[in-house]
Amino acid sequence: MMANRYVDVGEDLQFGGFGEVRLLHDNFLGRKILCKSMSNPDNNDQLYNEIIALSKARSRHVVEIYDVLFDQNRNVSGIIIEYLDGRDFSKFYLEYENNPEEFLKILFQIASGLYDLHQAGITHRDMKLENIKASNAGVVKIFDFGISAITDDYITKNNRGTLIYAAPELYFENARISREMDIYAFGIIAWNLVTTQNNFDRALLDTPPHSKHKYQSIAHVCKNKLPEEIINLIDATLCPNPANRPTIEEIVPLLAKYLVIHKHKGIFTENARNVYELSSVQKGVKLKIAPLGEIDIYYDGLEFKITYVDGDVFINNMRPNVNTVLPNSCLLTFGAPHLRNRRFMTFSSSHPEVVL
């Protein structure tokens, strides 16, 4: 039964092939919410799935569950969930070319939600662009957990999924639902954010995927707007062999890395005073202490790299090479170990946070 606080505003939203979603108003809290129910009570197991999954998944990037409705027999008849009244991303491909950073922000938020799900032991199982939407505040969230799996040993009998997004291994009988399937769908979402399915690589359109054609990189459609490391990451998510796909624990930090590009600061300190600061404004420095040694360091927007070294210079008591990346914090020593006049500098790098 529905509490009196919930008032139907007379708008039905189509939701999948098994039920419906109605837009309601919560008079007690003064906000719009959604009521999800099944057209056929025999499919109410999907509601139970959502209740369990959404109760376990506490994430900024996963839709919230507010309430559970029961019928007169105390059986679950519906759930009250967060109403996402922000934008969807079905047409984002029209914006991608002029705003590749926003693409990374969207992908990062989806990955962050998926990270929280996988950490909670949940496989979404129906990841797709249609199940991604923003809140009014612009926070990207994942929804529709009707067929999610909450155990690691779930064997599917119905092979439910969405064409294009379904991983190759889902096409076989008695497939074990795995997090790698979510990762594959995540890669398809990335494709769908930069182009239409008409422009998808042929291998992704095979049934099963990759069964007739060899996959060609997303680089063919990303129009040179993405870093090579991100392109390689997306390509890896679509590997036919699930064992070769990256985990969400690997995906999130790599996306974050490119969202804080050019936002670091590196400080060199000697005798408790700052000597040099590297940033997107001042990218390079030559540290020369004659006749002990010399080292050049350059900030490329992601890391602080050694571009030249001569003489007796040590990083944490180890001799560095050209292209060595400075640790986030370290000690630079100038002068051979036997000398009394050795000079010391400390280096520390900031840890900028992703700002959405």
Side-chain angles (χ1 to χ4, degrees):
M1 298 178 66
M2 191 177 299
N4 293 333
R5 61 187 280 190
Y6 301 128
V7 178
D8 198 325
V9 298
E11 183 176 351
D12 290 343
L13 307 177
Q14 188 63 39
F15 195 94
F18 294 93
E20 65 174 16
V21 168
R22 286 180 295 155
L23 182 62
L24 307 178
H25 190 270
D26 184 342
N27 284 337
F28 185 76
L29 294 177
R31 63 184 178 188
K32 292 179 179 179
I33 47 90
L34 294 178
C35 176
K36 182 177 180 180
S37 59
M38 294 292 107
S39 301
N40 185 344
D42 291 340
N43 293 320
N44 273 0
D45 59 330
Q46 292 195 28
L47 291 178
Y48 286 104
N49 249 20
E50 294 222 26
I51 293 168
I52 295 172
L54 292 176
S55 297
K56 290 181 65 177
R58 311 306 301 168
S59 173
R60 182 177 184 231
H61 299 289
V62 172
V63 71
E64 291 188 61
I65 182 171
Y66 295 148
D67 202 354
V68 179
L69 306 179
F70 298 88
D71 61 21
Q72 60 270 24
N73 297 319
R74 299 299 299 166
N75 296 317
V76 172
S77 60
I79 55 174
I80 303 296
I81 57 176
E82 178 183 6
Y83 172 54
L84 300 176
D85 54 350
R87 67 168 298 179
D88 67 34
F89 300 98
S90 59
K91 301 290 185 181
F92 180 80
Y93 66 90
L94 297 173
E95 307 169 33
Y96 159 73
E97 190 171 353
N98 293 323
N99 201 352
E101 183 180 3
E102 186 65 20
F103 164 80
L104 291 178
K105 287 183 178 180
I106 296 167
L107 212 58
F108 171 77
Q109 292 181 80
I110 297 170
S112 297
L114 199 52
Y115 174 92
D116 292 332
L117 292 175
H118 287 187
Q119 288 290 301
I122 301 166
T123 302
H124 186 279
R125 199 179 164 191
D126 198 19
M127 288 291 295
K128 56 186 177 182
L129 200 57
E130 294 88 338
N131 287 341
I132 308 294
K133 199 174 180 184
S135 69
N136 186 51
V139 179
V140 179
K141 299 197 177 194
I142 303 168
F143 60 90
D144 194 359
F145 289 78
I147 61 172
S148 60
I150 54 178
T151 64
D152 291 332
D153 57 355
Y154 183 80
I155 305 298
T156 179
K157 296 180 180 179
N158 298 319
N159 295 69
R160 289 182 183 176
T162 301
L163 287 175
I164 303 294
Y165 292 92
E169 61 270 24
L170 187 60
Y171 284 79
F172 299 96
E173 291 185 6
N174 297 319
R176 184 180 69 84
I177 299 301
S178 70
R179 294 167 192 171
E180 290 80 8
M181 293 178 179
D182 280 350
I183 300 299
Y184 183 91
F186 176 81
I188 297 295
I189 288 172
W191 269 83
N192 241 349
L193 285 169
V194 300
T195 190
T196 65
Q197 292 185 6
N198 291 333
N199 295 323
F200 271 31
D201 182 70
R202 291 187 300 172
L204 304 178
L205 302 175
D206 290 345
T207 308
H210 304 276
S211 60
K212 299 175 184 177
H213 301 92
K214 184 177 180 180
Y215 173 75
Q216 301 297 313
S217 173
I218 194 173
H220 293 286
V221 294
C222 74
K223 302 177 182 178
N224 298 318
K225 298 291 183 177
L226 297 179
E228 182 178 2
E229 204 170 6
I230 297 296
I231 289 172
N232 292 338
L233 173 75
I234 295 170
D235 289 342
T237 65
L238 296 167
C239 183
N241 184 348
N244 293 335
R245 296 172 200 155
T247 65
I248 200 64
E249 290 82 4
E250 295 169 315
I251 292 171
V252 170
L254 185 57
L255 290 169
K257 173 182 174 181
Y258 282 92
L259 284 173
V260 296
I261 191 169
H262 300 304
K263 297 178 182 178
H264 308 81
K265 288 186 177 181
I267 307 293
F268 296 89
T269 305
E270 183 180 22
N271 297 326
R273 63 184 180 87
N274 291 349
V275 180
Y276 297 103
E277 178 178 298
L278 293 184
S279 67
S280 59
V281 177
Q282 178 63 41
K283 294 186 176 183
V285 64
K286 179 185 292 291
L287 302 175
K288 184 176 182 179
I289 301 180
L292 302 178
E294 176 183 344
I295 188 169
D296 294 356
I297 299 168
Y298 181 78
Y299 172 51
D300 65 3
L302 295 171
E303 299 167 318
F304 298 89
K305 291 183 178 180
I306 296 171
T307 57
Y308 176 82
V309 61
D310 185 47
D312 291 316
V313 182
F314 302 84
I315 306 295
N316 289 341
N317 293 322
M318 301 290 292
R319 287 187 181 272
N321 298 312
V322 171
N323 291 326
T324 295
V325 176
L326 289 185
N328 289 332
S329 61
C330 60
L331 177 68
L332 286 73
T333 305
F334 296 81
H338 67 276
L339 297 177
R340 291 187 176 182
N341 63 334
R342 302 176 89 192
R343 296 271 294 274
F344 303 93
M345 290 186 190
T346 60
F347 170 80
S348 60
S349 172
S350 64
H351 301 276
E353 295 185 357
V354 175
V355 178
L356 300 172

